[in-house]
Amino acid sequence: MSRSLLILIVVAVVLVAGLFVLAGRSHEKPQTHIEKVVPLANLSS
């Protein structure tokens, strides 16, 4: 196997492993409902 092909395989394996690590770290925050008072003057324009 040539040296450049070996380096390409190692880089591909590292990238795939990094994607799996990042995919495992993602945690979604639960959405929070926020109610705001909107004055009627702002709605009439």
Side-chain angles (χ1 to χ4, degrees):
M1 220 186 300
S2 70
R3 186 176 202 144
S4 60
L5 182 60
L6 186 62
I7 291 173
L8 182 64
I9 292 172
V10 169
V11 168
V13 168
V14 169
L15 282 175
V16 170
L19 288 175
F20 276 107
V21 168
L22 289 176
R25 288 184 54 197
S26 66
H27 297 287
E28 294 183 13
K29 291 183 177 180
Q31 292 184 351
T32 56
H33 187 74
I34 300 173
E35 294 185 12
K36 287 180 81 173
V37 176
V38 178
L40 291 176
N42 290 343
L43 295 176
S44 64
S45 56

